[in-house]
Amino acid sequence: MTWWGWSLLLLAGALTAWFIWQAREVAGRAAKAEQEATRREAERAALVAQVGALRQRLAQVEAATHDALIVVDDAQHITALNYGGRALFSDVVGRSLIEIVRDADLRQAVADTLADHRRRTLTLTAALRTYRVHVTDGGATATLAFQDVTDLHRLQRARRDFVANISHELRTPLTSLGLLCDALLATTGDGDNGELVRTISSEVGALTTLVTDMLDLTQIEDGRLPLRLAPTQVTDLVEPVVSRLKPQAEQKGIAVMVEIETGIQALADPEKARRVLTNLLDNAFKYAYANSQVRITAQRSAERRADGGDILFTVADNGPGIAAADLPRVFERFFKADRARERGGGVGAGLGLAIARHLVEAHGGRIWATSVEGQGAAFHFTLPEA
Ligand code: ADP
């Protein structure tokens, strides 16, 4: 064979090797692609199964939720409802919320939540039922949970009516008992039974206060004690209370300091604001150590609201103070921070601060307590500035 023939043969051999190599490469790549496709398919199937399981779990939760849930978009159109939602409103997807629930406050709450992404709760009455509606942000959507609290409201009303009726019924015999004690005291004088009758009279007094407090609290809770707001000089709120309770302080040798910023006025119902101060001051004198000090201050608050300022009142004593864990609870009705102290006598039923809180909140103010245990307690509340 000539060199020409050898060259052709070599070229043919090289080409064949190259083709074989290429064919292997392609086959390898095809196998890899097939493997990849199988892996992707397995992943997809796993995801589909996961979504299916999640859907099933969601459906279970949805079926177990009695609350009606509806989702609205940023134009307040309904985009989804759960089973409870459909039961309450029927299938209203696509309709606007205000068409379904004609309540301007709800519409405003949803708009506010969509704007500031904060959760809101409001109470709504529709078709003789009461709902607590929680509005939660979901990005460009809001979720509304309608919780039917009709039965709870009925129970609360029944409890309030019961307490009010009992208190009302007890007042008459207690008044008679008080009068009988006075009559007995007039006849026995300081004789043998005098001390006994005085003790009975003081217990009747304590019971009368408790019954009056219970009655007042139910009336305040029911909104049956309407406020008569008027611009009132803060000195006219504080001074009468201090002079009325001063004998209590004097008995224990407590020094009373009053500091009121000049000329400040609160928008308040004077009688009710004085009741708040009375309850706080009465506690301060009750709990302050003998020969210590009680301070009452009133000034314009540093915090300003959009619609005006607040007057900040503080009543601070040098008593045993309140444990940190008890601080938020002292405003609950019948709460007593220290059970041992109540046995020491002279301590009330635990309604004074609950009444104070209701009255302050009815004015649109806030009430709270601060304390370092062992170093005294301070009660603060705000009333709108006039
Ligand atoms: P009470 O009639 O028992 O004083 P309140 O509602 O006025 O009821 O107060 C609730 C509880 O808060 C009290 O029982 C007491 O434990 C605690 N408390 C209130 N004021 C003070 C205070 N100035 N110092 C310490 N504890 C206080």
Side-chain angles (χ1 to χ4, degrees), residues 67-68 70 88-89 101 106 124 131-133 144-148:
D67 295 352
I70 61 180
L88 189 62
F89 304 108
V101 190
L106 181 66
L124 195 142
Y131 298 93
R132 193 167 293 145
V133 189
L144 286 75
F146 290 75
Q147 193 182 4
D148 192 335

Side-chain angles (χ1 to χ4, degrees), residues 279 283-284 286-287 317 320-322 330 335-338 341 347-354 377 379:
N279 289 4
N283 278 347
K286 224 156 50 178
Y287 294 104
D317 65 60
I322 302 165
V330 290
F335 181 80
K336 293 178 188 194
D338 186 345
R341 251 197 324 253
V347 180
L351 289 176
L353 290 178
F379 284 82

Side-chain angles (χ1 to χ4, degrees), residues 15-75:
L15 274 172
T16 314
W18 185 80
F19 274 124
I20 291 170
W21 180 77
Q22 275 295 312
R24 277 219 191 116
E25 258 308 275
V26 171
R29 259 188 256 148
K32 256 195 203 151
E34 203 175 315
Q35 268 175 10
E36 182 67 7
T38 318
R39 194 181 58 79
R40 290 229 174 110
E41 181 54 32
E43 269 180 14
R44 198 187 68 84
L47 272 176
V48 169
Q50 256 180 25
V51 171
L54 274 174
R55 278 216 178 112
Q56 203 180 345
R57 231 180 287 164
L58 199 65
Q60 275 172 350
V61 172
E62 208 191 88
T65 310
H66 292 288
D67 295 352
L69 301 176
I70 61 180
V71 181
V72 295
D73 62 14
D74 54 1

